[in-house]
Each structure stands twice: as C-alpha cells, then as structure tokens.
Amino acid sequence: MPLTEKELLSFVVENLGDDPTCFQAIAEFARHNDTGALMRFSKQCHNIKLNATGIVYQTIHALLKNGEEGKDYVHQLYAESSESDILRGVYMIGEAFIAFQDFDVERGEPLLRKGVRLCYRTMRIFPFEIIDIGFLMQNAFLLECVNYPITERFPKPSFEIVHRDLYESSPYTVFTLADNVYFRKYFARFAGELREQCGNVNIFLLLVNPDEDVISRAKEYGGMTLASTKYDGDWMPEFCVSSRFMMANDILKSVGGATIFIDIDSTFPQGSSEILSKISQYPLALCDTGELYPLLRIAGGLLAAQPNEKTFSFFDTVSDFMREDFTRSGPIYAFDQMALYRTLCLWKKKGMEVTEINSLIGGDARFPDFFCLKEEDVIPLAARKPLRTNDHYELKGFRPDGRLVFERI
C-alpha cells in the first residue's frame, strides 16, 4: 500500500541521509498519485527546509526510466508548474530530458540551459542540492552551440602511416588509439585478448606523439597498420577521445573496409568474436546507452562503420561539431560523445538509418560495458581526471540568454 502525503513526509524525515530509500518511496508515491500530489508534497519538503530540488530531480530520473507512462507524468509536472514555482527549474530539466530521449536536441537545449540556471540560482538562496548539477552544467554548455553556433574550428588533424603488415584473411579491422602511456599500459593485453578471441583480425593503431621505443614495440605485432599523429596543445585526453572521429573518414578510406572503433582500455571476453563480426556487417552501428544525459547517450567507446558516402557524411558532421567544441573554454571532456549524439539527432530528423548495437544484439549484455575492463585493471581516475579540462575550469556566471561562462583556474 503506497504512503499518503503525510505518511511520506514523515517517512522522509525519519530516513534523512538514506537517499536511496527515500527516493524509492517518493517514486513509488508518484506512480500511485497524480502530479498535483507530488507537487504538493515537494512544496511541503521545501517549507520544512528539506532538499526539495534534489528530491524532485531524483524522482524525475526514476519516472523517466519507467517508459512512456513516466514521460507523460514528467511532462505534466512541467506543464502544471508556473514560472514563479520554486521548483520550476527542475521541472524544466525533466522536460528537457524528455526532448533528449526523443532526439529533439533543438527543443531540449534551451529547456536544459534555462532549467540549469534556475536551479543554480535557487540553490544559492535555499539549502538545496542537485548532486549532478556540475554534470548538468557541462551538458548545457556543450549543447549551447545547437542554437548558438560559432564559426571557429580546431584544425582537422591528420595521420601518417608508419608501418603496415596485414593479414589477408582479416574479416574486419579493429581501430584503436593511444598515447605513449596508454600504449605501454594496455596494448599488449588489448592485442593478445583480441587475437585470442577473434583470430587474425587486423589492427589499425593510431599513436599520438609516439616515442621511438613505442614505435619499435608496436612494429613487433603482425596484422598491423601503425600510424602516428601529432598534438602539442594542453588537452591530451580531449584530443585522444576526439581525434579518431575527426579523422574517421580518412581512417575508413585507408582501411578500405569494415572498421570497428574501440577504446584501447578494452577487454575481449568470450563471445566477442560473434559480437564484433555481427556489428561489422552494418554500414554504421552505434551504442545507444539509453542514458538521460545527452552527453552519455551515445558511447564513444564502441562504434562500427564501413566506407560509403552516407557514413562519410555522418562523420563530416561529427567532425565539424568536435572541431567547434574543441575551441571552447570550458569543461569539454567527452565532447566526442555529445557530437555523436547531436549528429544522430540530425540523422533521425532526416529519416536516416543507423544501427543501434544494444537493440541489435539484445540479451542481458550492455554495450560498450561488455568490453570494459574492471576498475582495478585501468589507470585510476585520480590520475586521469586532473589532466582533463573539467578540472581546470570553474563557472564564472551566466550570460543574459542563460549561456554559461567558465573561467580557467
């Protein structure tokens, strides 16, 4: 039996600090009551100085995981809220999530931008908190160019083939990229597991600023195309995640056939051969994670493509978005995934087809998670994070139109 409004408020007060238990009870309450009841409950939380913004935000998350019924409920929350509502910002973020779920990025961008600004202002006045507010800001920042495009572009990178020794019978090529640190940490395992599971599959390894030792060690592997590219800027992690897609068309033309793009810190469990073989057969296959955040919706860690005009057109657009974002001053790490998402939005709007790997494969496995190493096997986040732009910028304020301004620290 679901709790009444009064019982739910008492339950939340009694269980302060146990967020999962509270949020589960609130989501269950919402599923059994109309939007008016949840809005009244949220205002009561605000009146007794509970974290109403955080409560509603987490409830919206839970509801949107509940399919179309949840979407209708969240949409109604936004529709029934007024501009003066203290929780208007979080309802607006919920409406933005609905737009992003439907790949309507042009509608979702201004909703998210305004919702984030309203929540930020509310949180500076009241003791409210959204645990994801920094990540929401990054999403809003990276989406601003949807409705406020800029003309500046990062120069398109290029690569040089250093060595090539291919297997003639390879059914497809696996592309990966590394700097010197990542090559030494991951490549032996990457190549060994790939060959163990998938046989003589060709590898296209792109090295960023390789030293002679790394080049020499990479040449020892058979079935290899070894290429190098240069980068002398401040943001090596950002360059490594994005440059492969900025150069994707050149890579595809160099390979001349089906290519699977996958992170070097990947593992290849039992069943990898069947999965990679299957996705290599499609002109373009992406991982739709189903995440609410547009930055996380399309994974950059696994993608399959074949060289053809439609694929070239897709990556031309992806490259344009990435080259635009790479010039911006702010937290841009993972902007490769936002560019993939934005491009897919355009394609769906045009009725273009892209194969979605999770829908294609089905079953319990999720991709790219299936290929992710265990945490103890990767370079610790504490070592990786300080190198990223996200750790080097802080919010300075908002422009009159709601766009965020970041300052380097």
Side-chain angles (χ1 to χ4, degrees):
M1 189 76 178
L3 301 174
T4 65
E5 289 179 44
K6 185 176 180 179
E7 290 170 339
L8 180 62
L9 192 63
S10 297
F11 180 85
V12 169
V13 170
E14 291 169 5
N15 289 275
L16 285 178
D18 186 357
D19 288 350
T21 298
C22 290
F23 294 146
Q24 182 178 354
I26 296 165
E28 188 67 16
F29 173 83
R31 293 188 184 103
H32 289 86
N33 290 275
D34 61 20
T35 52
L38 181 62
M39 294 175 85
R40 287 192 302 271
F41 167 76
S42 303
K43 287 179 179 178
Q44 289 181 61
C45 289
H46 169 65
N47 290 339
I48 63 172
K49 295 183 169 47
L50 294 182
N51 183 15
T53 300
I55 287 170
V56 174
Y57 180 75
Q58 293 293 341
T59 304
I60 284 172
H61 255 258
L63 289 168
L64 289 177
K65 296 290 187 180
N66 200 33
E68 291 300 318
E69 184 179 344
K71 287 170 68 173
D72 290 342
Y73 194 101
V74 173
H75 174 71
Q76 199 65 26
L77 285 172
Y78 171 67
E80 292 178 2
S81 66
S82 66
E83 289 289 342
S84 61
D85 194 320
I86 193 70
L87 298 174
R88 175 69 169 178
V90 74
Y91 295 140
M92 192 169 285
I93 291 172
E95 185 72 0
F97 281 149
I98 292 173
F100 296 137
Q101 282 186 318
D102 296 336
F103 293 96
D104 189 351
V105 70
E106 292 179 354
R107 179 172 179 270
E109 184 277 328
L111 285 165
L112 180 63
R113 174 162 39 92
K114 186 173 181 181
V116 164
R117 187 185 72 216
L118 289 175
C119 285
Y120 179 77
R121 289 179 176 175
T122 300
M123 289 163 59
R124 288 171 66 89
I125 300 170
F126 299 102
F128 291 167
E129 178 185 4
I130 294 178
I131 193 169
D132 293 339
I133 190 65
F135 191 54
L136 284 165
M137 288 179 177
Q138 186 190 7
N139 276 259
F141 176 70
L142 284 172
L143 283 173
E144 288 171 358
C145 289
V146 171
N147 289 306
Y148 295 92
I150 57 177
T151 57
E152 190 175 357
R153 295 287 187 276
F154 178 77
K156 182 183 175 183
S158 61
F159 61 83
E160 175 187 1
I161 301 295
V162 175
H163 174 76
R164 183 168 268 161
D165 176 24
L166 302 181
Y167 297 136
E168 292 184 4
S169 60
S170 178
Y172 50 83
T173 295
V174 172
F175 171 92
T176 197
L177 176 147
D179 62 10
N180 293 316
V181 173
Y182 273 59
F183 175 87
R184 292 187 172 99
K185 170 72 175 176
Y186 296 115
F187 189 71
R189 177 175 185 161
F190 179 97
E193 289 190 356
L194 177 65
R195 297 281 163 67
E196 181 181 345
Q197 292 296 322
C198 302
N200 287 339
V201 171
N202 285 329
I203 297 173
F204 190 122
L205 172 63
L206 180 58
L207 296 170
V208 183
N209 302 340
D211 60 36
E212 289 303 320
D213 173 65
V214 163
I215 291 174
S216 176
R217 289 167 62 176
K219 285 181 178 179
E220 295 174 2
Y221 293 85
M224 284 276 290
T225 295
L226 180 61
S228 69
T229 188
K230 296 179 180 178
Y231 176 67
D232 59 2
D234 293 336
W235 310 121
M236 179 64 80
E238 282 73 7
F239 181 81
C240 287
V241 298
S242 65
S243 58
R244 54 188 161 178
F245 297 127
M246 293 186 203
M247 296 184 279
N249 286 339
D250 295 330
I251 293 164
L252 289 170
K253 290 172 185 177
S254 179
V255 171
T259 305
I260 295 169
F261 295 76
I262 192 166
D263 288 342
I264 196 167
D265 54 344
S266 296
T267 186
F268 297 95
Q270 188 95 22
S272 295
S273 179
E274 293 80 3
I275 293 163
L276 296 182
S277 179
K278 187 168 187 175
I279 66 175
S280 72
Q281 298 171 27
Y282 292 84
L284 184 61
L286 307 174
C287 281
D288 183 347
T289 66
E291 290 282 351
L292 294 180
Y293 302 100
L295 184 59
L296 300 178
R297 183 67 185 270
I298 306 299
L302 177 66
L303 184 152
Q306 296 179 2
N308 60 61
E309 290 307 313
K310 287 185 178 180
T311 301
F312 293 153
S313 174
F314 183 90
F315 282 119
D316 278 341
T317 304
V318 170
S319 179
D320 282 344
F321 288 155
M322 288 185 187
R323 291 170 58 206
E324 180 181 34
D325 282 333
F326 208 4
T327 66
R328 303 184 67 202
S329 296
I332 64 168
Y333 185 76
F335 69 111
D336 58 314
Q337 297 187 156
M338 187 66 87
L340 290 167
Y341 171 77
R342 288 178 59 191
T343 304
L344 187 56
C345 287
L346 291 177
W347 271 50
K348 286 183 175 288
K349 190 174 181 179
K350 295 175 182 177
M352 307 284 276
E353 292 187 4
V354 174
T355 299
E356 294 172 1
I357 292 173
N358 278 304
S359 298
L360 174 70
I361 304 296
D364 295 331
R366 299 298 297 172
F367 302 95
D369 296 355
F370 179 83
F371 295 103
C372 290
L373 283 171
K374 295 177 182 177
E375 190 158 339
E376 60 266 26
D377 294 326
V378 301
I379 296 172
L381 180 61
R384 290 177 281 140
K385 194 168 174 284
L387 303 176
R388 301 171 180 175
T389 51
N390 298 26
D391 262 27
H392 292 264
Y393 285 92
E394 65 180 7
L395 183 69
K396 186 179 180 181
F398 293 85
R399 298 182 184 182
D401 57 20
R403 284 182 287 170
L404 293 87
V405 180
F406 287 92
E407 189 175 62
R408 191 165 178 177
I409 53 177

